[in-house]
PDB file of all heavy atoms in Angstrom:
ATOM      1  N   TYR A  24       0.821  -1.212   0.000  1.00 52.00           N
ATOM      2  CA  TYR A  24       0.000   0.000   0.000  1.00 52.00           C
ATOM      3  C   TYR A  24       0.856   1.262   0.000  1.00 52.00           C
ATOM      4  O   TYR A  24       0.334   2.368   0.035  1.00 52.00           O
ATOM      5  CB  TYR A  24      -0.928   0.004   1.220  1.00 52.00           C
ATOM      6  CG  TYR A  24      -1.966  -1.082   1.166  1.00 52.00           C
ATOM      7  CD1 TYR A  24      -1.732  -2.325   1.755  1.00 52.00           C
ATOM      8  CD2 TYR A  24      -3.176  -0.885   0.510  1.00 52.00           C
ATOM      9  CE1 TYR A  24      -2.682  -3.329   1.693  1.00 52.00           C
ATOM     10  CE2 TYR A  24      -4.134  -1.886   0.449  1.00 52.00           C
ATOM     11  CZ  TYR A  24      -3.878  -3.103   1.039  1.00 52.00           C
ATOM     12  OH  TYR A  24      -4.810  -4.100   0.971  1.00 52.00           O
ATOM     13  N   GLU A  25       2.181   1.087  -0.043  1.00 53.00           N
ATOM     14  CA  GLU A  25       3.067   2.248  -0.007  1.00 53.00           C
ATOM     15  C   GLU A  25       2.968   3.052  -1.308  1.00 53.00           C
ATOM     16  O   GLU A  25       2.954   2.504  -2.409  1.00 53.00           O
ATOM     17  CB  GLU A  25       4.514   1.771   0.187  1.00 53.00           C
ATOM     18  CG  GLU A  25       5.505   2.898   0.334  1.00 53.00           C
ATOM     19  CD  GLU A  25       6.873   2.359   0.704  1.00 53.00           C
ATOM     20  OE1 GLU A  25       6.953   1.212   1.166  1.00 53.00           O
ATOM     21  OE2 GLU A  25       7.842   3.088   0.520  1.00 53.00           O
ATOM     22  N   LYS A  26       2.899   4.386  -1.182  1.00 55.00           N
ATOM     23  CA  LYS A  26       2.817   5.267  -2.342  1.00 55.00           C
ATOM     24  C   LYS A  26       4.146   5.241  -3.100  1.00 55.00           C
ATOM     25  O   LYS A  26       5.218   5.329  -2.518  1.00 55.00           O
ATOM     26  CB  LYS A  26       2.507   6.696  -1.902  1.00 55.00           C
ATOM     27  CG  LYS A  26       2.430   7.689  -3.058  1.00 55.00           C
ATOM     28  CD  LYS A  26       2.172   9.092  -2.548  1.00 55.00           C
ATOM     29  CE  LYS A  26       2.218  10.105  -3.698  1.00 55.00           C
ATOM     30  NZ  LYS A  26       2.006  11.489  -3.229  1.00 55.00           N
ATOM     31  N   ILE A  27       4.056   5.108  -4.451  1.00 52.00           N
ATOM     32  CA  ILE A  27       5.280   5.086  -5.249  1.00 52.00           C
ATOM     33  C   ILE A  27       5.305   6.225  -6.263  1.00 52.00           C
ATOM     34  O   ILE A  27       6.273   6.367  -7.017  1.00 52.00           O
ATOM     35  CB  ILE A  27       5.439   3.738  -5.998  1.00 52.00           C
ATOM     36  CG1 ILE A  27       4.251   3.513  -6.926  1.00 52.00           C
ATOM     37  CG2 ILE A  27       5.622   2.600  -5.026  1.00 52.00           C
ATOM     38  CD1 ILE A  27       4.398   2.293  -7.830  1.00 52.00           C
ATOM     39  N   GLY A  28       4.264   7.050  -6.300  1.00 56.00           N
ATOM     40  CA  GLY A  28       4.256   8.161  -7.246  1.00 56.00           C
ATOM     41  C   GLY A  28       2.846   8.465  -7.713  1.00 56.00           C
ATOM     42  O   GLY A  28       1.867   8.083  -7.060  1.00 56.00           O
ATOM     43  N   THR A  29       2.728   9.164  -8.832  1.00 56.00           N
ATOM     44  CA  THR A  29       1.421   9.496  -9.400  1.00 56.00           C
ATOM     45  C   THR A  29       1.409   9.157 -10.883  1.00 56.00           C
ATOM     46  O   THR A  29       2.463   9.117 -11.535  1.00 56.00           O
ATOM     47  CB  THR A  29       1.102  10.991  -9.216  1.00 56.00           C
ATOM     48  OG1 THR A  29       2.158  11.767  -9.803  1.00 56.00           O
ATOM     49  CG2 THR A  29       0.984  11.349  -7.740  1.00 56.00           C
ATOM     50  N   ASP A  30       0.207   8.928 -11.430  1.00 54.00           N
ATOM     51  CA  ASP A  30       0.116   8.651 -12.858  1.00 54.00           C
ATOM     52  C   ASP A  30      -0.018   9.962 -13.631  1.00 54.00           C
ATOM     53  O   ASP A  30       0.082  11.060 -13.078  1.00 54.00           O
ATOM     54  CB  ASP A  30      -1.048   7.694 -13.140  1.00 54.00           C
ATOM     55  CG  ASP A  30      -2.408   8.301 -12.797  1.00 54.00           C
ATOM     56  OD1 ASP A  30      -2.500   9.536 -12.570  1.00 54.00           O
ATOM     57  OD2 ASP A  30      -3.378   7.536 -12.761  1.00 54.00           O
ATOM     58  N   GLN A  31      -0.271   9.864 -14.933  1.00 54.00           N
ATOM     59  CA  GLN A  31      -0.307  11.042 -15.798  1.00 54.00           C
ATOM     60  C   GLN A  31      -1.416  12.014 -15.408  1.00 54.00           C
ATOM     61  O   GLN A  31      -1.317  13.227 -15.611  1.00 54.00           O
ATOM     62  CB  GLN A  31      -0.497  10.593 -17.255  1.00 54.00           C
ATOM     63  CG  GLN A  31      -0.329  11.724 -18.276  1.00 54.00           C
ATOM     64  CD  GLN A  31      -0.412  11.195 -19.688  1.00 54.00           C
ATOM     65  OE1 GLN A  31      -0.670  10.024 -19.899  1.00 54.00           O
ATOM     66  NE2 GLN A  31      -0.195  12.056 -20.654  1.00 54.00           N
ATOM     67  N   ASP A  32      -2.480  11.485 -14.788  1.00 61.00           N
ATOM     68  CA  ASP A  32      -3.607  12.330 -14.383  1.00 61.00           C
ATOM     69  C   ASP A  32      -3.482  12.843 -12.958  1.00 61.00           C
ATOM     70  O   ASP A  32      -4.412  13.466 -12.432  1.00 61.00           O
ATOM     71  CB  ASP A  32      -4.921  11.551 -14.532  1.00 61.00           C
ATOM     72  CG  ASP A  32      -5.178  11.140 -15.975  1.00 61.00           C
ATOM     73  OD1 ASP A  32      -4.862  11.939 -16.885  1.00 61.00           O
ATOM     74  OD2 ASP A  32      -5.680  10.024 -16.170  1.00 61.00           O
ATOM     75  N   GLY A  33      -2.336  12.592 -12.321  1.00 64.00           N
ATOM     76  CA  GLY A  33      -2.122  13.085 -10.966  1.00 64.00           C
ATOM     77  C   GLY A  33      -2.681  12.202  -9.884  1.00 64.00           C
ATOM     78  O   GLY A  33      -2.665  12.572  -8.704  1.00 64.00           O
ATOM     79  N   ARG A  34      -3.183  11.018 -10.236  1.00 66.00           N
ATOM     80  CA  ARG A  34      -3.732  10.111  -9.235  1.00 66.00           C
ATOM     81  C   ARG A  34      -2.603   9.359  -8.535  1.00 66.00           C
ATOM     82  O   ARG A  34      -1.618   8.969  -9.163  1.00 66.00           O
ATOM     83  CB  ARG A  34      -4.703   9.121  -9.877  1.00 66.00           C
ATOM     84  CG  ARG A  34      -5.983   9.748 -10.415  1.00 66.00           C
ATOM     85  CD  ARG A  34      -6.945   8.659 -10.863  1.00 66.00           C
ATOM     86  NE  ARG A  34      -6.390   7.909 -11.980  1.00 66.00           N
ATOM     87  CZ  ARG A  34      -6.778   8.054 -13.238  1.00 66.00           C
ATOM     88  NH1 ARG A  34      -7.737   8.914 -13.537  1.00 66.00           N
ATOM     89  NH2 ARG A  34      -6.230   7.340 -14.205  1.00 66.00           N
ATOM     90  N   GLU A  35      -2.785   9.136  -7.241  1.00 63.00           N
ATOM     91  CA  GLU A  35      -1.774   8.428  -6.460  1.00 63.00           C
ATOM     92  C   GLU A  35      -1.665   6.970  -6.914  1.00 63.00           C
ATOM     93  O   GLU A  35      -2.663   6.296  -7.142  1.00 63.00           O
ATOM     94  CB  GLU A  35      -2.148   8.478  -4.979  1.00 63.00           C
ATOM     95  CG  GLU A  35      -1.138   7.778  -4.067  1.00 63.00           C
ATOM     96  CD  GLU A  35      -1.515   7.927  -2.607  1.00 63.00           C
ATOM     97  OE1 GLU A  35      -1.590   9.083  -2.155  1.00 63.00           O
ATOM     98  OE2 GLU A  35      -1.753   6.893  -1.948  1.00 63.00           O
ATOM     99  N   LEU A  36      -0.427   6.495  -7.053  1.00 58.00           N
ATOM    100  CA  LEU A  36      -0.181   5.107  -7.441  1.00 58.00           C
ATOM    101  C   LEU A  36       0.463   4.368  -6.282  1.00 58.00           C
ATOM    102  O   LEU A  36       1.373   4.872  -5.644  1.00 58.00           O
ATOM    103  CB  LEU A  36       0.755   5.038  -8.652  1.00 58.00           C
ATOM    104  CG  LEU A  36       0.161   5.321 -10.025  1.00 58.00           C
ATOM    105  CD1 LEU A  36       1.272   5.271 -11.064  1.00 58.00           C
ATOM    106  CD2 LEU A  36      -0.917   4.314 -10.370  1.00 58.00           C
ATOM    107  N   ARG A  37      -0.041   3.156  -6.005  1.00 62.00           N
ATOM    108  CA  ARG A  37       0.581   2.269  -5.031  1.00 62.00           C
ATOM    109  C   ARG A  37       1.147   1.071  -5.784  1.00 62.00           C
ATOM    110  O   ARG A  37       0.706   0.745  -6.876  1.00 62.00           O
ATOM    111  CB  ARG A  37      -0.453   1.802  -4.004  1.00 62.00           C
ATOM    112  CG  ARG A  37      -1.079   2.928  -3.186  1.00 62.00           C
ATOM    113  CD  ARG A  37      -2.277   2.425  -2.418  1.00 62.00           C
ATOM    114  NE  ARG A  37      -3.316   1.917  -3.301  1.00 62.00           N
ATOM    115  CZ  ARG A  37      -4.400   1.271  -2.883  1.00 62.00           C
ATOM    116  NH1 ARG A  37      -4.570   1.030  -1.613  1.00 62.00           N
ATOM    117  NH2 ARG A  37      -5.291   0.846  -3.753  1.00 62.00           N
ATOM    118  N   LEU A  38       2.118   0.411  -5.172  1.00 55.00           N
ATOM    119  CA  LEU A  38       2.722  -0.761  -5.818  1.00 55.00           C
ATOM    120  C   LEU A  38       1.658  -1.812  -6.096  1.00 55.00           C
ATOM    121  O   LEU A  38       1.648  -2.449  -7.153  1.00 55.00           O
ATOM    122  CB  LEU A  38       3.811  -1.345  -4.918  1.00 55.00           C
ATOM    123  CG  LEU A  38       4.690  -2.445  -5.516  1.00 55.00           C
ATOM    124  CD1 LEU A  38       5.365  -1.967  -6.783  1.00 55.00           C
ATOM    125  CD2 LEU A  38       5.713  -2.910  -4.511  1.00 55.00           C
ATOM    126  N   MET A  39       0.712  -1.980  -5.168  1.00 56.00           N
ATOM    127  CA  MET A  39      -0.355  -2.964  -5.361  1.00 56.00           C
ATOM    128  C   MET A  39      -1.194  -2.629  -6.585  1.00 56.00           C
ATOM    129  O   MET A  39      -1.602  -3.518  -7.333  1.00 56.00           O
ATOM    130  CB  MET A  39      -1.241  -3.005  -4.115  1.00 56.00           C
ATOM    131  CG  MET A  39      -2.354  -4.061  -4.193  1.00 56.00           C
ATOM    132  SD  MET A  39      -3.434  -4.021  -2.750  1.00 56.00           S
ATOM    133  CE  MET A  39      -4.301  -2.484  -3.077  1.00 56.00           C
ATOM    134  N   ASP A  40      -1.463  -1.303  -6.801  1.00 57.00           N
ATOM    135  CA  ASP A  40      -2.284  -0.899  -7.945  1.00 57.00           C
ATOM    136  C   ASP A  40      -1.657  -1.331  -9.252  1.00 57.00           C
ATOM    137  O   ASP A  40      -2.330  -1.763 -10.190  1.00 57.00           O
ATOM    138  CB  ASP A  40      -2.461   0.623  -7.959  1.00 57.00           C
ATOM    139  CG  ASP A  40      -3.245   1.106  -6.739  1.00 57.00           C
ATOM    140  OD1 ASP A  40      -4.087   0.332  -6.241  1.00 57.00           O
ATOM    141  OD2 ASP A  40      -2.996   2.238  -6.306  1.00 57.00           O
ATOM    142  N   ILE A  41      -0.331  -1.209  -9.346  1.00 48.00           N
ATOM    143  CA  ILE A  41       0.365  -1.529 -10.585  1.00 48.00           C
ATOM    144  C   ILE A  41       0.464  -3.029 -10.788  1.00 48.00           C
ATOM    145  O   ILE A  41       0.122  -3.563 -11.844  1.00 48.00           O
ATOM    146  CB  ILE A  41       1.773  -0.903 -10.587  1.00 48.00           C
ATOM    147  CG1 ILE A  41       1.645   0.620 -10.627  1.00 48.00           C
ATOM    148  CG2 ILE A  41       2.587  -1.391 -11.778  1.00 48.00           C
ATOM    149  CD1 ILE A  41       2.963   1.349 -10.510  1.00 48.00           C
ATOM    150  N   LEU A  42       0.896  -3.751  -9.738  1.00 52.00           N
ATOM    151  CA  LEU A  42       1.122  -5.179  -9.899  1.00 52.00           C
ATOM    152  C   LEU A  42      -0.165  -5.979 -10.005  1.00 52.00           C
ATOM    153  O   LEU A  42      -0.186  -7.054 -10.568  1.00 52.00           O
ATOM    154  CB  LEU A  42       1.963  -5.707  -8.727  1.00 52.00           C
ATOM    155  CG  LEU A  42       3.406  -5.204  -8.713  1.00 52.00           C
ATOM    156  CD1 LEU A  42       4.132  -5.755  -7.499  1.00 52.00           C
ATOM    157  CD2 LEU A  42       4.145  -5.610  -9.983  1.00 52.00           C
ATOM    158  N   GLU A  43      -1.273  -5.442  -9.462  1.00 48.00           N
ATOM    159  CA  GLU A  43      -2.528  -6.177  -9.530  1.00 48.00           C
ATOM    160  C   GLU A  43      -3.381  -5.762 -10.720  1.00 48.00           C
ATOM    161  O   GLU A  43      -4.488  -6.244 -10.891  1.00 48.00           O
ATOM    162  CB  GLU A  43      -3.320  -5.982  -8.231  1.00 48.00           C
ATOM    163  CG  GLU A  43      -2.699  -6.726  -7.056  1.00 48.00           C
ATOM    164  CD  GLU A  43      -3.627  -6.780  -5.863  1.00 48.00           C
ATOM    165  OE1 GLU A  43      -4.552  -5.957  -5.805  1.00 48.00           O
ATOM    166  OE2 GLU A  43      -3.424  -7.655  -5.013  1.00 48.00           O
ATOM    167  N   SER A  44      -2.872  -4.854 -11.558  1.00 46.00           N
ATOM    168  CA  SER A  44      -3.625  -4.469 -12.747  1.00 46.00           C
ATOM    169  C   SER A  44      -3.780  -5.655 -13.677  1.00 46.00           C
ATOM    170  O   SER A  44      -2.913  -6.526 -13.751  1.00 46.00           O
ATOM    171  CB  SER A  44      -2.889  -3.350 -13.498  1.00 46.00           C
ATOM    172  OG  SER A  44      -2.803  -2.192 -12.702  1.00 46.00           O
ATOM    173  N   GLU A  45      -4.881  -5.704 -14.397  1.00 43.00           N
ATOM    174  CA  GLU A  45      -5.056  -6.749 -15.393  1.00 43.00           C
ATOM    175  C   GLU A  45      -3.990  -6.594 -16.470  1.00 43.00           C
ATOM    176  O   GLU A  45      -3.622  -5.480 -16.834  1.00 43.00           O
ATOM    177  CB  GLU A  45      -6.442  -6.638 -16.043  1.00 43.00           C
ATOM    178  CG  GLU A  45      -7.579  -6.981 -15.104  1.00 43.00           C
ATOM    179  CD  GLU A  45      -7.547  -8.433 -14.687  1.00 43.00           C
ATOM    180  OE1 GLU A  45      -7.094  -9.259 -15.509  1.00 43.00           O
ATOM    181  OE2 GLU A  45      -7.957  -8.747 -13.569  1.00 43.00           O
ATOM    182  N   PRO A  46      -3.458  -7.694 -17.003  1.00 42.00           N
ATOM    183  CA  PRO A  46      -2.403  -7.612 -18.011  1.00 42.00           C
ATOM    184  C   PRO A  46      -2.744  -6.688 -19.168  1.00 42.00           C
ATOM    185  O   PRO A  46      -1.899  -5.930 -19.639  1.00 42.00           O
ATOM    186  CB  PRO A  46      -2.271  -9.068 -18.473  1.00 42.00           C
ATOM    187  CG  PRO A  46      -2.721  -9.862 -17.290  1.00 42.00           C
ATOM    188  CD  PRO A  46      -3.816  -9.068 -16.641  1.00 42.00           C
ATOM    189  N   VAL A  47      -3.992  -6.742 -19.637  1.00 39.00           N
ATOM    190  CA  VAL A  47      -4.369  -5.896 -20.769  1.00 39.00           C
ATOM    191  C   VAL A  47      -4.249  -4.434 -20.405  1.00 39.00           C
ATOM    192  O   VAL A  47      -3.780  -3.615 -21.179  1.00 39.00           O
ATOM    193  CB  VAL A  47      -5.811  -6.222 -21.226  1.00 39.00           C
ATOM    194  CG1 VAL A  47      -6.258  -5.248 -22.308  1.00 39.00           C
ATOM    195  CG2 VAL A  47      -5.884  -7.654 -21.750  1.00 39.00           C
ATOM    196  N   ASP A  48      -4.672  -4.066 -19.194  1.00 41.00           N
ATOM    197  CA  ASP A  48      -4.593  -2.679 -18.749  1.00 41.00           C
ATOM    198  C   ASP A  48      -3.149  -2.206 -18.670  1.00 41.00           C
ATOM    199  O   ASP A  48      -2.831  -1.084 -19.039  1.00 41.00           O
ATOM    200  CB  ASP A  48      -5.256  -2.521 -17.383  1.00 41.00           C
ATOM    201  CG  ASP A  48      -6.758  -2.757 -17.443  1.00 41.00           C
ATOM    202  OD1 ASP A  48      -7.345  -2.541 -18.524  1.00 41.00           O
ATOM    203  OD2 ASP A  48      -7.312  -3.165 -16.422  1.00 41.00           O
ATOM    204  N   VAL A  49      -2.283  -3.068 -18.157  1.00 37.00           N
ATOM    205  CA  VAL A  49      -0.876  -2.694 -18.023  1.00 37.00           C
ATOM    206  C   VAL A  49      -0.263  -2.438 -19.388  1.00 37.00           C
ATOM    207  O   VAL A  49       0.368  -1.409 -19.635  1.00 37.00           O
ATOM    208  CB  VAL A  49      -0.082  -3.810 -17.287  1.00 37.00           C
ATOM    209  CG1 VAL A  49       1.401  -3.483 -17.310  1.00 37.00           C
ATOM    210  CG2 VAL A  49      -0.565  -3.938 -15.848  1.00 37.00           C
ATOM    211  N   VAL A  50      -0.457  -3.381 -20.314  1.00 39.00           N
ATOM    212  CA  VAL A  50       0.123  -3.232 -21.646  1.00 39.00           C
ATOM    213  C   VAL A  50      -0.459  -2.016 -22.351  1.00 39.00           C
ATOM    214  O   VAL A  50       0.252  -1.251 -23.019  1.00 39.00           O
ATOM    215  CB  VAL A  50      -0.134  -4.512 -22.486  1.00 39.00           C
ATOM    216  CG1 VAL A  50       0.341  -4.302 -23.913  1.00 39.00           C
ATOM    217  CG2 VAL A  50       0.575  -5.695 -21.861  1.00 39.00           C
ATOM    218  N   GLY A  51      -1.759  -1.795 -22.185  1.00 40.00           N
ATOM    219  CA  GLY A  51      -2.394  -0.676 -22.868  1.00 40.00           C
ATOM    220  C   GLY A  51      -1.923   0.674 -22.389  1.00 40.00           C
ATOM    221  O   GLY A  51      -2.061   1.670 -23.099  1.00 40.00           O
TER     222      GLY A  51
END
């Protein structure tokens, strides 16, 4: 749940958010 930065829209990103994304979403 540790914050690792923000995405292009300024939303907070956590490591869990990135690693648990669906493969299609990540690639896209």
Side-chain angles (χ1 to χ4, degrees):
Y24 293 92
E25 184 173 342
K26 179 182 175 182
I27 60 173
T29 56
D30 64 13
Q31 189 175 4
D32 298 322
R34 293 187 296 256
E35 181 177 300
L36 282 177
R37 299 168 299 172
L38 189 57
M39 183 183 71
D40 295 330
I41 293 175
L42 292 179
E43 288 192 340
S44 297
E45 291 295 329
V47 174
D48 293 333
V49 173
V50 174

